[in-house]
Amino acid sequence: MKKSLLSLLLCLSLCCSGCSATQVKDRLYLQSLELSNYRYPTVQLHAFQSEEADCSGSGSTLSAALESAEIPAGKSLFLGHLELLALQEPKFLQQLPDLLQQYRLSSGCKLLYTTRSLAEVNTETLLESLKQEEQNGRMPKTDLLSILKERCNSSGTALLPFRITNGFSMVLMDSDGSTQTLSNDAIQGLCWLRGNNYPKRVSLSADGQASDFLITSASTRYTAITANGIPIVTVSISIHGTGNAVALRELETACEAAERETIQQNQADVIELETCLRQQCYKLYQEQDWNSLLRTVQFQHEFTILP
């Protein structure tokens, strides 16, 4: 399965979306697609500039459900510009290869886990809220490409945004369909550990005093050694910014929460740890079972504050 997923990842970088002989007016260009009822798939279709779902369909497979939705739509469906794929059941992750084989989805398409229907939700507003959370560094950046990469590693676990009543959280999705919701500290820590997006400001309130540190840029680097059969991973984070550096003292707490809730408790690698250990602790990586490595790995942190 992982070889086929890797092939699909290559296709994502090579394929480009385009129109065939079908006229533009005869297509329904989808902005978001919601999947529910894994045993007998149901799809909710949201076209661009729609306030709510345009139509829906069900079938024995996803393809059949999409074909069924074309009837009330009165048009053929085009998923090449899809911006959001919402899953009501984790097992739909297993269907991503089929969707990629049949439809040219964008590698930047957002995936979202939800337990409530989005039929009456404005997709544009939802997407803007999700992107704003990522841009402000309040949750890690994710998209179709990053999730497929995570599905290809030895853990097979993916990190997805989770829609909740007052905004978003994050969940780990295992290959067996189980989910684990992460704490706010772990979510913040993953922004630093993944190194793709950082908060613009870190604030600390203590003894009635508020301290801010404004971040202009940051970088994250991993190094690993083996000591007595145990992998020791050093996470080095360099931060450029101004303000009271005391506000940064909770960063280690956040990183530790992320490592504990992903690696140690759930054996879930969503920080590309496997790449680090394979390159820098190759003998140990080859000799030990992957889940055993995740249970024994130890982390230490180095924070460097630069002007």
Side-chain angles (χ1 to χ4, degrees):
M1 172 183 173
K2 290 181 179 177
K3 286 185 178 179
S4 62
L5 281 174
L6 287 169
S7 298
L8 288 168
L9 286 174
L10 291 174
C11 289
L12 277 174
S13 63
L14 296 175
C15 291
C16 59
S17 300
C19 296
S20 65
T22 305
Q23 296 296 316
V24 171
K25 64 182 179 64
D26 296 326
R27 289 182 183 268
L28 183 64
Y29 289 81
L30 299 186
Q31 185 177 33
S32 73
L33 174 64
E34 180 182 0
L35 311 180
S36 60
N37 192 8
Y38 182 77
R39 291 183 178 273
Y40 194 79
T42 298
V43 297
Q44 295 275 0
L45 312 182
H46 295 248
F48 283 89
Q49 300 180 340
S50 294
E51 294 292 328
E52 55 187 33
D54 291 86
C55 54
S56 63
S58 299
S60 56
T61 65
L62 276 180
S63 297
L66 286 166
E67 289 176 2
S68 174
E70 288 183 334
I71 298 174
K75 297 181 178 181
S76 63
L77 306 180
F78 184 74
L79 281 68
H81 299 320
L82 195 72
E83 294 183 351
L84 177 67
L85 179 59
L87 315 178
Q88 282 200 35
E89 295 183 38
K91 286 188 176 180
F92 276 115
L93 278 181
Q94 302 171 11
Q95 299 294 313
L96 288 182
D98 292 336
L99 281 172
L100 289 171
Q101 285 178 349
Q102 297 181 56
Y103 308 95
R104 292 181 173 181
L105 302 186
S106 166
S107 61
C109 176
K110 296 291 184 183
L111 265 70
L112 176 71
Y113 176 53
T114 179
T115 56
R116 296 172 294 151
S117 174
L118 304 181
E120 298 180 0
V121 174
N122 184 301
T123 296
E124 187 67 35
T125 301
L126 182 64
L127 273 168
E128 287 303 315
S129 298
L130 177 58
K131 291 177 181 178
Q132 194 64 44
E133 289 289 286
E134 293 180 345
Q135 289 171 5
N136 290 336
R138 288 193 287 265
M139 59 191 297
K141 282 185 178 179
T142 60
D143 55 29
L144 177 59
L145 182 59
S146 69
I147 289 166
L148 282 174
K149 285 182 176 179
E150 289 162 0
R151 292 273 291 159
C152 287
N153 69 30
S154 295
S155 298
T157 304
L159 179 70
L160 273 76
F162 176 31
R163 181 173 176 256
I164 56 178
T165 302
N166 57 345
F168 301 96
S169 183
M170 301 292 291
V171 295
L172 298 172
M173 278 194 181
D174 206 341
S175 54
D176 64 2
S178 62
T179 63
Q180 180 65 48
T181 304
L182 299 176
S183 68
N184 288 334
D185 278 347
I187 292 170
Q188 189 63 69
L190 283 174
C191 287
W192 293 98
L193 294 178
R194 286 162 69 96
N196 295 323
N197 62 315
Y198 302 92
K200 298 178 180 178
R201 178 179 61 189
V202 176
S203 301
L204 174 68
S205 296
D207 301 325
Q209 298 293 322
S211 300
D212 285 337
F213 189 88
L214 301 180
I215 298 169
T216 54
S217 65
S219 62
T220 302
R221 182 172 60 91
Y222 288 82
T223 54
I225 61 171
T226 301
N228 299 321
I230 296 175
I232 310 294
V233 177
T234 299
V235 184
S236 301
I237 299 177
S238 299
I239 304 168
H240 292 261
T242 57
N244 191 341
V246 174
L248 297 174
R249 69 187 184 189
E250 294 188 0
L251 293 188
E252 187 164 23
T253 300
C255 290
E256 288 173 347
E259 292 153 3
R260 181 174 59 253
E261 294 180 31
T262 59
I263 301 293
Q264 295 160 351
Q265 294 179 354
N266 292 288
Q267 288 74 61
D269 177 17
V270 293
I271 59 173
E272 297 188 8
L273 178 64
E274 183 173 20
T275 301
C276 173
L277 295 181
R278 185 172 56 240
Q279 293 175 349
Q280 302 183 37
C281 301
Y282 183 74
K283 183 178 179 182
L284 186 67
Y285 173 79
Q286 287 291 96
E287 292 175 349
Q288 288 199 21
D289 172 73
W290 176 241
N291 283 341
S292 298
L293 272 179
L294 293 183
R295 291 189 185 96
T296 59
V297 64
Q298 296 180 9
F299 292 91
Q300 54 190 25
H301 308 93
E302 295 177 351
F303 298 95
T304 303
I305 312 301
L306 302 170

